[in-house]
Amino acid sequence: MAEKTTSLSVWRPSDQWTSLFSHTPYAPALWALLFTPDETLMASTRFGAEWPALSAEQVVADHIVGYQSTAGRAKERLVARLDPIRSFTESWRAFSLTRALALAIAGLPGEWPLRFDASAVTLAQGSRYADLMAAAVAAAARLGTAPPTNDQEALHLLLEMVHGMNPESPLRAPPLPESRSAFLHWPREGKLVDRALLGAPEYCPTSHVEQMTRARHQWEESW
């Protein structure tokens, strides 16, 4: 399963790329909220000088392997996309975990690059996952460009993000016509849902690590 590991990382001038969160398999849904569809990360950019030899060895054409922005832009769009859905009780149960995500990036200088890296998955499985990621990021972007007007619309976008980022996600939509709540068939274990939505934390700026950890635990307990 190692080939399905993804990461959300920040470029620290002294340490190069530092992983904030990781996930196996594929990626968790909430990372999609940090990026826009035009912020694609290409394999040739991700691997730099290593790419010609790597692509020749695996006979792989240049392709999208993730998304890259800056911490500042990610913070701004996270706030803007969440504002319209805070009043939707059912969908906000899941989206409120973004508080932990916001705390994890809050202490990062705005100009530092932020990267969602799924290169291991796309190199192992081809371009299909790139298409799924694109669908998830596009759904997240619609929260800002065409905000949902009710809980069901918000849930629909959330499920697009969930299954685009991770086609093997344990978070499943209920069978139709049972559409009142998309969470009827989600696991009751808060830690499992936390992992599926946010991933495993690896690094958080010291000034926010306790707050982020507390936010995650409170969310898991209330789930």
Side-chain angles (χ1 to χ4, degrees), residues 54-105:
L54 184 62
S55 60
E57 179 182 335
Q58 300 195 24
V59 195
V60 177
D62 199 8
H63 62 284
I64 296 171
V65 298
Y67 291 81
Q68 185 167 311
S69 186
T70 64
R73 287 197 293 268
K75 295 173 196 177
E76 291 174 1
R77 67 176 55 112
L78 186 60
V79 172
R81 291 174 177 179
L82 293 174
D83 273 348
I85 60 175
R86 292 180 186 275
S87 62
F88 301 148
T89 304
E90 188 72 4
S91 56
W92 187 247
R93 286 183 63 209
F95 277 115
S96 64
L97 184 59
T98 50
R99 179 168 180 261
L101 180 60
L103 286 167
I105 64 176

Side-chain angles (χ1 to χ4, degrees), residues 179-195:
S179 59
R180 182 184 63 81
S181 171
F183 299 114
L184 292 176
H185 295 270
W186 281 24
R188 295 183 180 181
E189 174 62 45
K191 287 185 178 181
L192 194 157
V193 181
D194 178 336
R195 181 178 178 277

Side-chain angles (χ1 to χ4, degrees), residues 11 34 147 172:
W11 175 266
L34 303 176
R172 298 293 176 186

Side-chain angles (χ1 to χ4, degrees), residues 20-39:
L20 303 175
F21 293 92
S22 63
H23 193 267
T24 303
Y26 301 101
L30 296 183
W31 295 0
L33 290 166
L34 303 176
F35 304 95
T36 59
D38 63 341
E39 293 178 330

